[in-house]
Amino acid sequence: MKFSKLIMLATVAISVGTAATEVHAAKRTIANSNSQTLTFKQITGNNLHRLGTIRQLTRSQIATDHKLTGKQVQYLMQLPLPHRLTAKNFTLDSQSLTMHLTKNKLHVSIAKIPLSKLTGIILNRYMPSNLRYKKPTATKQKVVALTFDDGPDPLLTPKLLKVLKKNNVPATFFEVGSSVIKYPQISRMVIQSGNQIGNHSWNHPQFTKIGKARAMHQISTTDAAIYKATGTLPAFVRPPYGAINESIGASFDRPTIQWDVDSLDWSYLNTPKTIKHVLTTTHNGSVILMHDIHPTSVAAVPSIIHVLKKRGYKFVTLEQLMQKPLLSNYQYFGRNDYRNL
């Protein structure tokens, strides 16, 4: 695996000054690589969270590049991918990270992950300058992320989507596979409306009580349902009840999204109480947990959005909230609050 020498950058000569700049950039890149055979240990800084993220990006890229059946999507979690940071089975160039796969049931030999998806995952010195991770600048802007569990619901989810669109608010919907398979058109609406879908299991068991094998089956079957409905694999997992352990969490190679504001909408089933609780407990950087399967919960959303905006909050995606790539085998509760499994 030789790091690309980026010869093309040095041969494009629009002007003498431009050519000189590009040659300098190419030489610097070559010097950084030092013509070495790179390893995962080098490009990730010996970071297992980054390696797990690359494994999942490999699965997602295969799902994007190939039209897979439901069974093939379920197999992705069993796809033989490197678990050692010294593995030498990838190629890195100026455009992509190419994974060279071992023999597998999908008969796929390579997966080319664009470098644009790897900012903050591959160390900056191995990335083009325009794709290097930059620490966010300090801001006084207060931010919050909305998340909704247990859908999709054929009536309430579309109603909620209209509210979010009207107020220009993004959200992440953690859906259960048994409902996605019934209402795939609603899941498509979620994506088409500019929101994200996360995996919330097939039928909402507590993972830590059913064991690793059954938990993996819950995740993989829901992956297949969401893929069939939307053409994409969910990037995040939220375990039912927030119950997770290291063994189960490591098996799906994705960030685990928890929360730090539980609306208790499922307990109150009362719109004014839900509104009051969320407004009382939300703070800068919060991940708010709600549900799009209760009429009282959906009815509470317009007021929650209105008041929080009036208080100076901006509603953002999970990535924007965290201000960095979300990595596998971490639990994310809110901004600056992420923990090992």
Side-chain angles (χ1 to χ4, degrees), residues 229-248:
T230 69
T232 61
L233 282 184
F236 313 124
V237 171
R238 172 171 280 167
Y241 314 104
I244 195 71
N245 58 36
E246 182 178 3
S247 174
I248 293 172

Side-chain angles (χ1 to χ4, degrees), residues 16 26 47 71 81 97-98 105 130 141 171 190 203 205 212 221 228 233 244 249 259 278 299 303 335 340:
V16 173
N47 187 303
K71 287 186 177 180
L81 293 171
L97 169 72
T98 301
K105 294 181 180 180
N130 63 314
Q141 174 73 65
V190 170
N203 59 0
K212 179 179 175 180
T221 52
K228 183 177 180 181
L233 282 184
I244 195 71
W259 59 89
V278 171
S303 293
R335 177 177 280 187
N340 283 308

Side-chain angles (χ1 to χ4, degrees), residues 28-77:
R28 184 171 62 250
T29 303
I30 294 168
N32 284 344
S33 67
N34 199 29
S35 298
Q36 298 180 57
T37 298
L38 298 176
T39 66
F40 277 118
K41 181 177 181 180
Q42 289 172 292
I43 68 170
T44 66
N46 202 28
N47 187 303
L48 290 171
H49 299 285
R50 290 174 177 163
L51 176 59
T53 304
I54 290 172
R55 284 196 297 266
Q56 184 57 22
L57 286 171
T58 300
R59 298 181 183 101
S60 294
Q61 198 63 45
I62 292 171
T64 298
D65 294 342
H66 304 271
K67 188 175 179 60
L68 304 180
T69 65
K71 287 186 177 180
Q72 288 174 324
V73 173
Q74 291 183 53
Y75 171 72
L76 282 175
M77 287 184 62

Side-chain angles (χ1 to χ4, degrees), residues 72-92:
Q72 288 174 324
V73 173
Q74 291 183 53
Y75 171 72
L76 282 175
M77 287 184 62
Q78 304 170 38
L79 189 70
L81 293 171
H83 283 261
R84 296 178 64 245
L85 293 177
T86 56
K88 299 178 180 180
N89 49 9
F90 69 96
T91 306
L92 189 64

